[in-house]
Amino acid sequence: MGYAEKRGDYWRGRFKTSTGKYGTVHDPWGATARFRSRREAETAANDAEAQVRAGRWRDPKSGGTKFADYANEWYARQDLAPSTMQGYRHGLEGHLLPAFESHELRAIDRDAIALWMKRERAVPYAESSVRGWRRLLHLVLADAVEDGLIPANPAAQPRGRGRRIGRSVNRGPEKVITNALGVLLVAERAALLSGRDDEFVAMVSKGFTGMRWGELVGLEPEYVRETGIRVEWQLYELDNGEFHRCPPKDESRRLVMAPSWLLDLARDQVGRAQPKPCPCHGLRYVYSGHRAPNGVTAPGAKVADVARHAGVSTGTVSAVLNDRGPVTGPTRAKVREAIAALGYVPGAAASAVAPHWRRNGFATWVFQPAATGRYPKKGPAVARPVPILAGPWPGMPVRGRNAAGRANACWAPIAAGLTPHGLRHTYKTIMIELGTPATLMDAQMGHADGSVQGLYAHVTPEMVRRLLDGLTDLWRAALAQRRQFDRGSPVAVLDRLLREK
């Protein structure tokens, strides 16, 4: 057991370490602890020896451990979801280690952290990102405190401290939303840009269910139910290109109630696409990628683009290309005109597509051009309008070389700044406009209300009926407005809806 040793005008505690030798009780900064009485020294020595027996004792002098060494050790012992580990790695490698890797843990103080945050804001990084990296630093240093390496966490933010500024200073730009007609028009353009109907169904589904991006990508056919869409899984895209199948955010498994017309679209999509098991999970998904897999180039227009522009089936285009089948002269001429106008090159497009959408690729080449009418700046390519041929409405995108020279029009923006996640905001706003109770809105969105009001409120069939009726009325009104522009569409699934009474 420990004992007290008189040293001039103070007592010090002595205890047996794990090596069998006697050590001295130190204060949190590594100096010999000076006690006023023998009892205090003996108590501290016995406590230290108990920590040695439990394997929890750390020498305070080890506060000289470098941040880089401890951070690497800390990261290696974490066992969290791949998405969380990826976020930690980004924060450590990109921001914390460059700033603190050579610092000893005990040398990191509030002033060093404040100076680092000031430099990060000056880059500039978004305030939300800077605060997220500070939270990560707080987490690492909190564990260093638990490990006995430092006496206190310098990254802790005392309540009521910090810069006294309004919330608006640190807020990001307000999220852009649209309405039911905007959802329909963006979905139509997305289908034209991808060359297939899948994107139309997907964007309409996202706008009228509020599903998260990963939940939409990870939707499996068996979860399209009679009364709604069951959210059980999501596909989270990691930096290495892999898709991690995991539960939805915050374990928000739920049945998203949906109108019958939307469920019909989803079931028709499954029947039309006939999804096959993907190579990464061996599971079938309602939606697949719209472009060739990485490493496979698929430039130019597709057969479906030519068929839509000429107003014929893909089989007719194939018959013209292969010079077979009974195709009349005028039809052949229309197909050849469409081939020339769109710059279609037989065999240029890859037959295989990626098993899943890539978030960045979809936003860059499908969603943003559909919503804004412009391709965004990407690498050396500058932002530019989407070149289109004026007919049929809303215009066919032109691809390939000299696309801008062959085009005779471009799209006007529908909702500049709209993002795929903005459709989730749009759905929540639509529900508010329809007077949907907060309890049902939370259930649809996958949000949790831990308040007493949320505990005592419940979803009823009448709430659901009013919401679905409201969504159906908005959809019918959007179709009626779309018919005023043109009673047909190059997108087959929308064309059928427009021509129905």
Side-chain angles (χ1 to χ4, degrees):
M1 59 185 298
Y3 68 93
E5 184 179 71
K6 182 70 173 177
R7 301 291 289 182
D9 60 347
Y10 68 91
W11 294 82
R12 70 177 185 176
R14 301 279 286 169
F15 63 97
K16 187 175 289 187
T17 65
S18 57
T19 62
K21 297 181 179 180
Y22 276 87
T24 302
V25 177
H26 291 85
D27 63 21
W29 291 269
T32 299
R34 299 187 175 200
F35 299 98
R36 293 177 297 177
S37 68
R38 179 173 185 163
R39 181 182 293 275
E40 290 178 351
E42 286 180 345
T43 300
N46 289 332
D47 289 344
E49 198 161 291
Q51 290 183 351
V52 171
R53 289 194 296 270
R56 297 194 304 269
W57 181 77
R58 291 288 188 101
D59 187 349
K61 291 183 178 180
S62 64
T65 301
K66 295 292 175 80
F67 177 81
D69 296 333
Y70 183 75
N72 289 331
E73 173 195 331
W74 177 88
Y75 182 82
R77 69 183 188 224
Q78 304 304 307
D79 185 18
L80 303 169
S83 56
T84 304
M85 297 298 291
Q86 176 177 280
Y88 284 174
R89 182 168 58 82
H90 283 175
L92 287 170
E93 294 180 353
H95 303 277
L96 297 183
L97 286 175
F100 300 110
E101 63 180 340
S102 61
H103 288 56
E104 294 181 353
L105 289 174
R106 61 188 176 188
I108 301 175
D109 56 19
R110 294 186 186 278
D111 291 338
I113 294 172
L115 182 60
W116 162 70
M117 292 182 70
K118 187 175 181 179
R119 289 197 302 264
E120 295 290 281
R121 291 188 179 108
V123 171
Y125 289 113
E127 181 65 23
S128 59
S129 298
V130 176
R131 290 181 179 274
W133 299 325
R134 183 192 175 112
R135 286 193 295 271
L136 177 58
L137 178 62
H138 178 280
L139 186 61
V140 175
L141 295 182
D143 283 353
V145 173
E146 290 292 322
D147 291 339
L149 298 177
I150 52 177
N153 188 346
Q157 180 71 54
R159 298 187 65 178
R161 299 287 294 276
R163 293 192 293 173
R164 304 277 182 172
I165 55 178
R167 292 182 179 180
S168 60
V169 175
N170 293 328
R171 285 184 61 189
E174 185 174 355
K175 184 66 68 173
V176 176
I177 63 171
T178 185
N179 53 23
L181 176 62
V183 172
L184 187 153
L185 296 179
V186 170
E188 181 180 22
R189 288 183 179 181
L192 293 174
L193 287 162
S194 69
R196 59 183 192 171
D197 295 348
D198 304 43
E199 281 65 28
F200 176 83
V201 178
M203 291 303 98
V204 171
S205 297
K206 187 164 176 56
F208 280 87
T209 63
M211 294 172 66
R212 299 181 180 94
W213 173 257
E215 296 168 353
L216 187 73
V217 176
L219 178 61
E220 300 168 33
E222 55 266 35
Y223 294 123
V224 180
R225 305 285 173 79
E226 289 298 321
T227 57
I229 296 175
R230 181 72 191 174
V231 176
E232 282 288 334
W233 301 97
Q234 67 165 330
L235 288 183
Y236 189 93
E237 183 180 351
L238 300 174
D239 286 348
N240 59 6
E242 295 180 1
F243 284 85
H244 177 59
R245 185 174 183 257
C246 55
K249 184 179 180 181
D250 299 328
E251 295 289 341
S252 54
R253 291 183 170 94
R254 63 198 187 277
L255 179 65
V256 181
M257 310 304 293
S260 59
W261 58 265
L262 183 57
L263 297 174
D264 288 341
L265 284 178
R267 282 189 285 266
D268 289 346
Q269 162 65 22
V270 174
R272 180 177 62 254
Q274 292 294 308
K276 296 178 176 55
C278 69
C280 38
H281 306 100
L283 298 172
R284 299 189 311 139
Y285 292 95
V286 175
Y287 305 106
S288 65
H290 70 287
R291 306 188 77 180
N294 288 344
V296 180
T297 304
K302 302 177 177 63
V303 170
D305 296 324
V306 176
R308 282 172 174 160
H309 185 65
V312 298
S313 67
T314 54
T316 301
V317 175
S318 177
V320 173
L321 291 172
N322 295 290
D323 196 23
R324 59 176 176 76
V327 181
T328 62
T331 301
R332 287 181 181 274
K334 283 199 303 182
V335 171
R336 292 197 173 100
E337 288 175 3
I339 290 172
L342 298 176
Y344 172 76
V345 178
S351 58
V353 296
H356 309 292
W357 284 308
R358 299 285 181 186
R359 179 188 290 269
N360 183 269
F362 183 88
T364 301
W365 304 115
V366 175
F367 193 87
Q368 288 189 44
T372 67
R374 297 177 63 85
Y375 290 113
K377 183 181 185 307
K378 192 73 171 178
V382 299
R384 60 206 184 279
V386 177
I388 64 170
L389 296 175
W393 203 93
M396 292 296 300
V398 182
R399 299 179 175 87
R401 294 184 177 181
N402 193 31
R406 291 182 282 112
N408 53 23
C410 60
W411 280 331
I414 296 172
L418 184 68
T419 64
H421 190 71
L423 293 183
R424 183 167 163 83
H425 288 246
T426 295
Y427 179 65
K428 176 67 177 284
T429 305
I430 287 175
M431 287 195 293
I432 294 173
E433 289 179 339
L434 293 175
T436 306
T439 305
L440 178 54
M441 287 195 291
D442 288 341
Q444 292 287 95
M445 300 291 289
H447 293 158
D449 183 0
S451 67
V452 173
Q453 289 83 356
L455 180 64
Y456 280 85
H458 303 276
V459 175
T460 66
E462 180 60 21
M463 292 181 190
V464 175
R465 185 191 63 78
R466 288 201 301 266
L467 172 61
L468 300 186
D469 287 349
L471 294 175
T472 299
D473 291 341
L474 288 175
W475 176 245
R476 289 173 177 169
L479 286 174
Q481 290 176 279
R482 171 61 180 81
R483 287 190 190 97
Q484 294 178 8
F485 304 141
D486 194 295
R487 296 195 62 83
S489 172
V491 179
V493 63
L494 177 58
D495 185 69
R496 185 182 71 250
L497 293 171
L498 292 174
R499 297 183 187 281
E500 290 176 352
K501 293 185 179 179

